Amino acid sequence: MMSIMQVTQTIHFMPTLPVRSKKKAAQPMLPGLEPESTQPETAKITNRQIAEVLAGIAEMIEGQNGNPYRVQAYRNAARGVLDLTEPAANILERGERLPIPGLGTRLNQRISELVTLGSMTINNGFCMDALPMGVRVLMSVEHIGPYTAIRLYQELGIETVEQLLQAANRKQIRQLAGFGIRSEARLKAAAEQILTHKNTNHSLGGAA
C-alpha cells in the first residue's frame, strides 16, 4: 500500500500597484460646475495574470514530482483563460462557470478564489514511495518538509544527513532562493543532532 502525504500551499497574487500622481493645487470652480467626486475603481486581475499564476503552479507541481495529470490540467486552464473573449473575473462575478473545455469544478473554484481573494489554495498529494530515497531521508530531518527536501535534493544534490551538514558548513544552503542564514543554521543544528544521536547509539552498541 502506497503512503500519500497531503500538503497544502497558498499561492498569493501580488498585483502591480498603480502609480499615484501628485495632487494638483485646487482650482476655483464656478457654482454648479464642480467636478463629481469619483472613487478609484479597484483593478481586477486580468486573464493574462490568471494564466501566469496557473502556469506557475503547473511548473511548481511538475518540479515537485507531482501528479502529471494535475500539471496538464493547470496548463490547459492557463491556455483556456487566455482564449476567453472576455475577462474571467466578469464571468465569475456573474456566478457562471468559465467556458473552458475540460475545466473541472474544483479548478474553476480555485480560479474564482484567486479572482476574489487574490490567493489560491492548492493541495498536493505526494506518493511517498515514488519520492527518491534521498528526499525521504531529508524529510526525516526536523524543519524539512517535502518541498524543501525536493529542492535540496534537486538543486544541491543532497541525499544524506551528512551531505546536508556539509552543505550548511560550506554556506551553500543560504544561497538558495527563499533560504537565509537563520534557516541554514536551523538545518545545520537539526543535522548535527541526528548525527550526534546516531554516533552515540553506534558507540553504545560497540561497547556492548
Side-chain angles (χ1 to χ4, degrees):
M1 182 177 180
M2 293 187 296
S3 174
I4 303 294
M5 172 177 285
Q6 291 293 336
V7 182
T8 300
Q9 281 184 294
T10 301
I11 309 300
H12 296 278
F13 168 71
M14 301 297 291
T16 303
L17 296 177
V19 179
R20 294 184 178 180
S21 58
K22 296 181 179 179
K23 291 184 178 180
K24 297 182 179 179
Q27 298 292 331
M29 292 290 176
L30 294 175
L33 296 180
E34 296 86 352
E36 296 181 0
S37 60
T38 57
Q39 295 294 333
E41 185 178 351
T42 303
K44 295 180 181 179
I45 184 172
T46 66
N47 288 358
R48 176 166 294 279
Q49 290 168 334
I50 294 173
E52 288 175 354
V53 172
L54 294 172
I57 292 175
E59 292 291 332
M60 179 187 68
I61 296 175
E62 186 176 48
Q64 295 165 349
N65 297 325
N67 189 328
Y69 294 103
R70 294 190 67 212
V71 174
Q72 193 60 42
Y74 275 94
R75 285 179 176 156
N76 289 342
R79 286 191 289 266
V81 169
L82 288 176
D83 290 338
L84 293 176
T85 57
E86 67 173 308
N90 292 350
I91 299 174
L92 293 170
E93 284 179 357
R94 296 197 299 266
E96 301 174 8
R97 281 179 57 90
L98 295 176
I100 298 176
L103 182 68
T105 301
R106 183 174 298 179
L107 187 48
N108 188 84
Q109 292 173 346
R110 294 287 182 268
I111 298 174
S112 178
E113 179 184 346
L114 177 64
V115 169
T116 305
L117 304 177
S119 63
M120 179 188 293
T121 302
I122 61 174
N123 297 305
N124 261 355
F126 284 94
C127 176
M128 297 298 292
D129 295 338
L131 292 175
M133 178 58 69
V135 173
R136 284 183 275 172
V137 169
L138 291 176
M139 287 173 60
S140 67
V141 180
E142 188 179 6
H143 307 302
I144 296 184
Y147 300 126
T148 300
I150 290 173
R151 288 196 60 196
L152 293 171
Y153 177 83
Q154 292 182 339
E155 298 181 35
L156 293 180
I158 300 175
E159 301 183 39
T160 66
V161 179
E162 289 82 1
Q163 291 176 347
L164 177 66
L165 180 58
Q166 291 173 3
N169 288 331
R170 294 170 182 167
K171 301 179 180 179
Q172 294 176 317
I173 298 176
R174 68 180 67 180
Q175 304 301 325
L176 299 179
F179 289 83
I181 297 176
R182 291 184 179 180
S183 56
E184 183 180 66
R186 284 197 300 268
L187 296 183
K188 178 181 178 181
E192 288 175 337
Q193 183 177 6
I194 290 178
L195 294 177
T196 299
H197 183 71
K198 179 180 178 181
N199 292 334
T200 300
N201 288 343
H202 181 73
S203 299
L204 292 176

